[in-house]
Amino acid sequence: MQTEARVSVMMEGGQRALSSGHGGVVSVEGGARNFAPKKQQSLQQSQIGTVSQLLSGGVAGAFSKTCTAPLARLTILFQVQGMHSDAALLKKASIWHEASRIVHEEGIRAFWKGNLVTIAHRLPYSSINFYAYEHFKKLLHMVPGLEHRRDRMSADLLVHFLGGGLAGITAASTTYPLDLVRTRLAAQTKVVYYKGIWHTLGTICRDEGFLGLYKGLGATILGVGPNIAISFSVYESLRSFWQSRRPHDSTILVSLTCGSLSGIASSTEKQAVVQVLHQTTFPLDLVRRRKQLEGAGGRARVYTTGLLGVFKHILRTEGFSGFYRGILPEYYKVVPGVGICFMTYETLKSLLADTNARL
């Protein structure tokens, strides 16, 4: 049975060492109980193909965004208020007031305004994000010093963190124009300037040039890297800890709970009071939204400087709190959103692996 346990560990890619509280000796019963689920996960990972993995990631991201679309739109509307609103109006802003305004002026369906382009963006974004993460993990485990270490927990945590950050940057850079289009459609209220995905892309190219499709990309890359890195590393660590102690719990329960907790961790990092700009992600996300809306609808440009100049302008005109406009709906959105995304991804992977096994 010890041989069977070693086989299970090897099939996991050597990522977790055999451990026991009695001199490294694993009992027959304990070994079978602890490693059987890991062996099953390893088989599922090997049986799922590239297309299935991309499909799982894409559907997970699209479904998660659709579920949290109302809160996402509220976040965007709050983030861009300071661009064209005076201080008196900004003080009256609240989630309930803005939600009521949307219902009365635009109708319930307006909470999902721009959701079609959100899905069009999220399908490739999440597909690339999860797919790139799996491959970056494999590459990082081949790096000397990360492959064979006694302290496997810290090594795995570093791999998950770096892999998540690199995957997030890769996905964000590849699908950025769709993210910009989604922001502009969601930010429209009474005046409709952009009429759809293709119309928005064409109008931006006509009014602002091809590079207009990449406004705010710098702030996006600086923000998405640490954000996704935290989500993946916390999720993987919590899931491994949970499964090592309760190996028979439902995959859906484990993924949803650990994903939600990783969402809390990544969003809490956004509220940290820091001195260096790149140490936060929410202010960068806010600046990204505003850069994306520069020149939107034929309006005059508000920010004529680079990233640092935008931060100075917001600090001067709106104060430090201006960097955190929309943080509350973002909090309400990110916890269930990340949990739903990871749960859907893991569930689809398992279903597709079982289907491939039967075929």
Side-chain angles (χ1 to χ4, degrees):
M1 293 300 291
Q2 288 182 355
T3 303
E4 182 183 349
R6 293 191 187 99
V7 171
S8 298
V9 175
M10 290 176 66
M11 293 183 69
E12 269 294 295
Q15 294 182 13
R16 297 178 179 85
L18 204 62
S19 60
S20 173
H22 302 283
V25 178
V26 182
S27 66
V28 173
E29 182 181 357
R33 182 177 64 251
N34 290 335
F35 290 110
K38 296 181 180 180
K39 181 178 180 179
Q40 183 180 2
Q41 291 171 5
S42 180
L43 286 172
Q44 290 177 350
Q45 185 70 22
S46 63
Q47 290 171 354
I48 190 170
T50 299
V51 175
S52 297
Q53 193 172 34
L54 290 171
L55 180 63
S56 299
V59 172
F63 180 65
S64 172
K65 282 294 181 180
T66 300
C67 291
T68 58
L71 290 168
R73 184 161 190 239
L74 285 171
T75 298
I76 292 174
L77 290 175
F78 277 116
Q79 285 179 326
V80 302
Q81 276 181 340
M83 293 182 70
H84 305 288
S85 302
D86 57 34
L89 291 175
L90 293 176
K91 290 179 180 179
K92 298 178 182 178
S94 69
I95 295 178
W96 177 252
H97 179 270
E98 187 64 20
S100 300
R101 184 200 64 77
I102 292 174
V103 172
H104 288 103
E105 294 182 3
E106 306 175 63
I108 294 292
R109 293 177 59 185
F111 282 111
W112 282 267
K113 181 180 284 187
N115 191 57
L116 182 60
V117 70
T118 297
I119 294 174
H121 165 256
R122 215 61 190 182
L123 278 169
Y125 175 87
S126 294
S127 296
I128 295 171
N129 193 25
F130 280 105
Y131 184 77
Y133 172 68
E134 298 292 348
H135 282 265
F136 277 125
K137 272 202 311 184
K138 293 178 183 177
L139 291 175
L140 289 169
H141 276 300
M142 296 170 62
V143 175
L146 295 178
E147 185 178 8
H148 298 291
R149 289 185 56 174
R150 292 181 180 178
D151 189 1
R152 291 306 314 164
M153 184 174 293
S154 62
D156 283 346
L157 184 62
L158 180 61
V159 168
H160 297 152
F161 186 85
L162 293 176
L166 291 171
I169 292 172
T170 302
S173 302
T174 306
T175 61
Y176 188 76
L178 286 171
D179 184 39
L180 183 138
V181 170
R182 176 176 71 98
T183 299
R184 296 209 174 180
L185 288 174
Q188 293 184 138
T189 53
K190 296 180 181 179
V191 180
V192 178
Y193 189 78
Y194 303 109
K195 300 176 182 178
I197 299 174
W198 294 111
H199 179 262
T200 306
L201 288 170
T203 303
I204 293 173
C205 290
R206 184 194 66 208
D207 295 348
E208 306 164 52
F210 179 76
L211 293 180
L213 296 173
Y214 292 89
K215 283 184 176 179
L217 178 60
T220 299
I221 292 176
L222 287 175
V224 76
N227 192 17
I228 301 298
I230 291 171
S231 291
F232 271 115
S233 56
V234 173
Y235 170 75
E236 292 277 16
S237 299
L238 290 175
R239 189 180 65 161
S240 297
F241 180 81
W242 187 322
Q243 291 178 334
S244 66
R245 283 157 177 76
R246 300 180 63 89
H248 300 294
D249 283 352
S250 168
T251 301
I252 295 177
L253 173 64
V254 175
S255 300
L256 180 61
T257 305
C258 295
S260 298
L261 291 173
S262 73
I264 293 174
S266 63
S267 60
T268 301
E269 189 267 347
K270 295 176 184 177
Q271 279 195 313
V273 179
V274 293
Q275 300 299 322
V276 184
L277 297 177
H278 71 270
Q279 289 180 336
T280 62
T281 60
F282 191 81
L284 282 167
D285 188 59
L286 181 138
V287 171
R288 171 174 73 98
R289 297 294 187 197
R290 296 193 178 186
K291 291 292 287 183
Q292 287 177 336
L293 290 168
E294 275 282 78
R299 285 187 172 185
R301 296 185 62 185
V302 178
Y303 311 111
T304 57
T305 58
L307 187 62
L308 186 59
V310 177
F311 273 96
K312 290 180 178 179
H313 184 278
I314 295 174
L315 187 62
R316 183 177 67 252
T317 58
E318 303 174 52
F320 186 77
S321 61
F323 291 119
Y324 293 93
R325 297 196 186 283
I327 188 68
L328 285 180
E330 174 69 10
Y331 256 119
Y332 300 148
K333 178 198 75 174
V334 73
V335 175
V338 176
I340 291 170
C341 187
F342 277 115
M343 177 195 70
T344 307
Y345 177 66
E346 297 291 350
T347 302
L348 286 176
K349 275 205 314 179
S350 299
L351 291 175
L352 290 172
D354 291 339
T355 302
N356 291 340
R358 293 192 194 99
L359 296 176

